[in-house]
Amino acid sequence: MTRRTRLPNRTRTVGALITGGSRGLGLFMARELADRGCTVTIAARDAEELDRAAAQVRVETGATVHVAVCDVRDRAAVAAMMREAHERHGLDIVIANAGVIQVAPVEAIGPAEFTDAMDTMFYGALHTSLEAMPYLRANRGRLGLIGSVGGLLGVPHLLPYSCAKAAVGALAEGLHAEAAASGVSVTAVHPGLMRTGSHRQAEFGGDTSAEFGWFSTAAGAPLLSMDADRAARRIVDAVIRRRARLVLTAPAKAAQLAHGVAPGLTTRLNGVAARLLPSASGRGPLRQGAEAGEPRNPIARRIRAWGSARNDRAVREANQQEPGPRTSS
């Protein structure tokens, strides 16, 4: 295991808060921060899910973990959460991670899905940043905004997600420039595919079983994705070290480079990839991964079982086993 970056010695407890912290990547980052001696608050919409996640972190790390039921789309609720966390243990590290994943061809969805993605991921990150900033300035704190490789280039069948994550990336870079003079660092994080069990909570439209099949396979494939605990360790290291930007996974770095050097070619290649993805089968309500169904083709089922095996094993550790209100990516 690589050596963890420790926070500088302080005379008081280091306070950390993570939105979307009840499951997935947010939960793995909460474990990392708790393991490094932070008092951690995890925030999400679902109280039962939060309590289960907090109990996991306490048992595994022995750290103090608080929970906050909060909808990051509501700025007033975020303001109250930040104030309470600051008064309880101070705010030194804040990571905006709350998100949703919608997997569908664009003709199978509509403006509502884009609004949902923007409200949760972009406005959620914006509310978190603006309400945390006064407390972080007082402590020369650290802010991390979780974007995605999907925000560095438009990904077919993930367009609401890509649009919202692109906005998060721009917000992180602009805040980094403006907050530097006050001593606050802002880290833009762009992970690639990670084995967080997110395929169980993602929402699927169009041919839902086929969409579930390709997404869960890609998200768990060893050469395309990385283990969530390793990703969380890298992200927390970057935030503590006050790095401006972190891109995770070799495929994500390659995609970023290709798009930067040859954006037209990359876009055309994306078009080729889109033709290989399932076609729309009409519009209807999105289904969570647990309800989307396995691919109907037996060969496709075997491929999904192989590609997603490690991701399926991450479901319980990532607290993704129960369908519920969407809180984290």
Side-chain angles (χ1 to χ4, degrees):
M1 181 180 292
T2 57
R3 184 178 180 181
R4 290 176 169 86
T5 299
R6 308 299 298 188
L7 283 155
N9 290 330
R10 296 197 179 213
T11 57
R12 62 174 180 82
T13 300
V14 175
L17 184 147
I18 301 175
T19 67
S22 64
R23 63 176 181 246
L25 178 62
L27 177 55
F28 281 95
M29 290 189 291
R31 288 191 186 104
E32 275 295 316
L33 287 164
D35 200 45
R36 301 182 202 214
C38 296
T39 294
V40 179
T41 294
I42 54 175
R45 300 182 203 175
D46 187 321
E48 182 179 348
E49 191 175 78
L50 277 168
D51 289 340
R52 191 166 61 237
Q56 287 183 18
V57 177
R58 292 186 191 113
V59 168
E60 292 168 7
T61 67
T64 300
V65 182
H66 301 281
V67 300
V69 179
C70 181
D71 186 341
V72 294
R73 300 172 299 181
D74 182 343
R75 184 171 178 181
V78 174
M81 175 181 67
M82 294 296 175
R83 182 170 60 251
E84 182 179 343
H86 168 72
E87 292 171 352
R88 183 171 53 225
H89 54 59
L91 278 176
D92 302 280
I93 298 173
V94 174
I95 299 179
N97 172 70
V100 294
I101 303 175
Q102 301 143 320
V103 186
V106 70
E107 59 264 39
I109 56 176
E113 285 74 25
F114 285 85
T115 300
D116 188 23
M118 290 296 293
D119 282 350
T120 302
M121 288 182 281
F122 173 65
Y123 283 105
L126 178 64
H127 296 158
T128 298
S129 301
L130 295 180
E131 297 302 333
M133 198 60 74
Y135 306 116
L136 294 176
R137 287 194 191 101
N139 296 330
R140 296 180 62 84
R142 299 159 168 86
L143 175 65
L145 302 187
I146 307 300
S148 169
V149 65
L152 301 179
L153 67 162
V155 180
H157 291 221
L158 284 166
L159 280 184
Y161 183 84
S162 282
C163 290
K165 289 298 191 180
V168 170
L171 175 66
E173 291 185 8
L175 285 177
H176 178 87
E178 293 201 27
S182 66
V184 176
S185 61
V186 182
T187 302
V189 180
H190 299 287
L193 293 167
M194 296 172 294
R195 295 184 281 274
T196 63
S198 62
H199 61 298
R200 305 306 301 179
Q201 298 287 351
E203 294 186 318
F204 299 87
D207 186 342
T208 57
S209 61
E211 297 287 349
F212 174 76
W214 82 258
F215 179 81
S216 58
T217 300
L223 296 179
L224 295 178
S225 62
M226 71 185 300
D227 285 334
D229 56 353
R230 181 166 165 252
R233 186 163 57 249
R234 294 277 305 279
I235 292 168
V236 171
D237 280 344
V239 172
I240 292 175
R241 292 173 182 171
R242 302 184 183 274
R243 288 184 57 180
R245 182 183 178 93
L246 173 68
V247 179
L248 286 175
T249 78
K253 291 177 182 178
Q256 173 190 227
L257 178 62
H259 191 266
V261 172
L265 175 61
T266 305
T267 301
R268 286 193 291 273
L269 290 174
N270 252 346
V272 174
R275 293 187 181 95
L276 302 176
L277 294 175
S279 58
S281 59
R283 290 182 59 173
L286 300 183
R287 296 182 179 180
Q288 281 188 312
E291 304 168 344
E294 292 287 339
R296 292 180 291 275
N297 185 293
I299 296 177
R301 283 200 299 272
R302 291 193 198 98
I303 293 173
R304 196 208 80 79
W306 169 81
S308 188
R310 296 175 72 181
N311 209 8
D312 289 336
R313 287 197 294 271
V315 165
R316 186 163 297 278
E317 187 181 7
N319 200 28
Q320 303 270 26
Q321 66 269 27
E322 297 290 341
R326 299 155 300 164
T327 55
S328 61
S329 54

